[in-house]
DNA sequence: GTCTATAGTCGGATAGAC
DNA sequence: GTCTATCCGACTATAGAC
């Protein structure tokens, strides 16, 4: 579809305010993340998105050229957002970058790094009262039912993240980061990180948590830490067939 | 909504064939599982469902009273299906029922049971070329965005399953099945079991699997077995803050 | 740039023939 | 019980006023 007027710079903090043209644009994307995330592409209506953004339906056509392109613009926006997250992770790991890549980082240290990494991720998810983290829903939907949007997000950011996870797991398990088992575990780990979002409903019903209070959050944090620590266990074969 | 003509017996193998009246009904439900699962409630159109079922749109109104009630009927159908699965699991565990409930089953044995349980679940998911297991998508969607359908499925079957999982994990970790950590792990474990379905897209892209061949399946099976075996590790605290 | 008005499409429900 | 025909509402997109 006509892609000409879609891609543009949207640095988060535009130092030049008063510029109304991509202010509306930002509000539309913001609203679209939320509505597309909760309703899916078909379920979301441009009317709703425009209303939430406090603007008119036709501005969607003006700024993006239609619902479909708005959807893709949202994907690019999310890709950027995850990309910044991954940048943060890389900064966190900067000191050990070489040893991680070589696989010479001792397992115990790698575990601590991975725990810290996940801990930060988790804390952001757990505090998602306000907008900004509804993108997880969008990603989850795309993961289940991939469209071009998934490819954009995946290629731009998730792939990088998975590489880092694989390298860390490789250090922990003393296996090459390229090995199939390690990479599979990286994908599954990423899936788990997203799952906390998706599984709220089940968790609430089964554990009787209306909302996540501090006790609940600490229980989850502890479970996550254990999960990571367990990666240290590398049983050669665990037969059961 | 008018619920009068919805609930009815639909034992899977109706010994009396030739009865066309709930044959159409079955085909409609079958088709609806597939279309609702892949498209979501809003995305699914009754026209499509009817076409896939090889019948007419208006038969949906006739048999179920509308799209919404068809959706709920699908939920009940899925609840029954999972319920049968759980029956199977309980049969599998029948011999050790008492020891599991008491928590006196030795961890190593509990691990083997849980591995076998998951293995069977997994093999069904991994062989889902044909219809019948598209219900996982339906459940995943409902888990992410719960409606009344989720409550029906949850109350009728998932809750039972989670109890069993919690009891087994309790045995493995020598903790009471009612403890918060154990129950949380049970929920997360169930989430992982469903996730294999959802994460196909990501797995395919990252691991370069177009489709799951035998190598891929064995890698996944091994990863799952390890995952279960790791539950044995019960580190008191794995500090990282 | 943002709005109103409207065209054109599609989906769910229903009436009525058979 | 199943089909055809039709109504009505909701949606996307677009033209044009300002």
């Amino acid at each position: 579809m006509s892609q000409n007027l879609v891609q543009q710079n949207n640095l988060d903090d535009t130092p030049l305010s008063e510029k109304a043209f991509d202010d509306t644009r930002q509000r539309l994307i913001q609203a679209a993340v939320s509505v597309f995330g909760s309703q899916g592409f078909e379920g979301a209506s441009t009317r709703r998105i425009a209303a939430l953004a406090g603007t008119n339906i036709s501005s969607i056509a003006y700024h993006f050229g239609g619902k479909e392109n708005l959807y893709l613009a949202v994907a690019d926006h999310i890709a950027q957002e995850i990309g910044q997250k991954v940048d943060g992770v890389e900064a966190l790991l900067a000191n050990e970058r070489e040893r991680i890549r070589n696989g010479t980082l001792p397992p115990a240290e790698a575990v601590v790094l991975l725990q810290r990494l996940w801990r930060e991720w988790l804390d952001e998810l757990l505090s998602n009262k306000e907008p900004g983290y509804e993108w997880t829903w969008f990603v989850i939907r795309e993961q289940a039912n991939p469209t071009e949007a998934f490819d954009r997000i995946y290629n731009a950011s998730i792939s990088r993240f998975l590489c880092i996870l694989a390298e860390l797991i490789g250090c922990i398990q003393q296996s090459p980061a390229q090995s199939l088992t390690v990479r599979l575990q990286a994908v599954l780990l990423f899936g788990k990180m997203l799952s906390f979002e998706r599984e709220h409903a089940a968790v609430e019903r089964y554990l009787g948590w209306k909302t996540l209070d501090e006790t609940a959050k600490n229980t989850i944090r502890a479970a996550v830490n254990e999960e990571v620590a367990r990666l240290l266990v590398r049983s050669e074969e665990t037969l059961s067939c």
Side-chain angles (χ1 to χ4, degrees), chain A:
Chain A
M1 300 72 182
S2 64
Q3 206 74 8
N4 36 17
L5 40 68
V6 173
Q7 235 63 347
Q8 208 160 341
N9 65 327
N10 50 352
L11 307 168
D12 271 293
D13 47 340
T14 81
L16 333 149
S17 53
E18 313 303 312
K19 297 216 154 192
F21 54 75
D22 62 8
D23 176 48
T24 317
R25 194 190 161 83
Q26 288 301 322
R27 289 206 317 275
L28 273 175
I29 288 189
Q30 195 86 1
V33 170
S34 170
V35 179
F36 280 135
S38 63
Q39 312 279 338
F41 181 77
E42 328 255 5
S45 81
T46 51
R47 282 160 158 70
R48 220 175 121 80
I49 293 171
L52 192 62
T55 180
N56 194 271
I57 319 172
S58 53
S59 57
I60 290 176
Y62 177 77
H63 283 285
F64 302 94
K67 186 185 185 182
E68 190 124 356
N69 281 332
L70 173 58
Y71 191 78
L72 292 178
V74 165
D76 291 331
H77 177 76
I78 290 176
Q80 258 193 349
E81 209 159 322
I82 302 183
Q84 288 174 6
K85 262 180 139 32
V86 180
D87 291 342
V89 167
E90 277 184 339
L92 188 74
L93 270 42
N95 291 335
E96 312 294 350
R97 204 72 206 86
E98 262 322 294
R99 292 204 291 166
I100 291 173
R101 212 179 287 278
N102 299 340
T104 57
L105 187 72
E109 292 183 38
V111 163
V112 172
L113 280 180
L114 191 52
Q115 284 176 332
R116 185 144 28 120
L117 184 164
W118 197 348
R119 170 65 181 267
E120 292 196 5
W121 173 282
L122 193 59
D123 280 345
E124 285 178 351
L125 282 191
L126 291 182
S127 68
N128 64 346
K129 301 292 177 194
E130 62 290 339
Y133 290 100
E134 286 153 321
W135 60 266
T136 50
W137 289 108
F138 190 97
V139 175
I140 287 167
R141 275 178 196 278
E142 277 295 324
Q143 242 191 353
N145 228 328
T147 69
E148 190 193 333
F150 183 82
D151 286 321
R152 294 202 185 187
I153 300 177
Y154 178 79
N155 291 328
S157 57
I158 291 182
S159 58
R160 283 170 60 210
F161 192 41
L162 289 179
C163 282
I164 296 178
L165 289 181
E167 284 173 352
L168 278 172
I169 294 176
C171 291
I172 293 177
Q173 300 187 345
Q174 313 271 38
S175 305
Q178 295 81 21
S179 80
L180 216 54
T181 15
V182 168
R183 282 157 69 208
L184 179 60
Q185 285 179 84
V187 179
L188 297 182
L189 186 61
F190 180 66
K192 282 177 218 163
M193 293 170 82
L194 280 181
S195 289
F196 279 106
E197 193 62 28
R198 174 172 61 83
E199 283 165 7
H200 270 182
V203 168
E204 282 167 12
R205 275 168 183 80
Y206 187 50
L207 302 186
W209 290 340
K210 302 274 174 248
T211 171
L212 298 181
D213 58 10
E214 270 313 307
T215 315
K217 288 183 185 177
N218 284 331
T219 311
I220 290 179
R221 286 193 193 107
V224 163
N225 276 345
E226 279 211 28
E227 187 100 15
V228 172
R230 285 196 194 111
L231 288 174
L232 281 166
V233 183
R234 187 80 182 83
S235 51
E236 298 311 81
E237 82 280 343
T238 54
L239 35 87
S240 78
C241 354

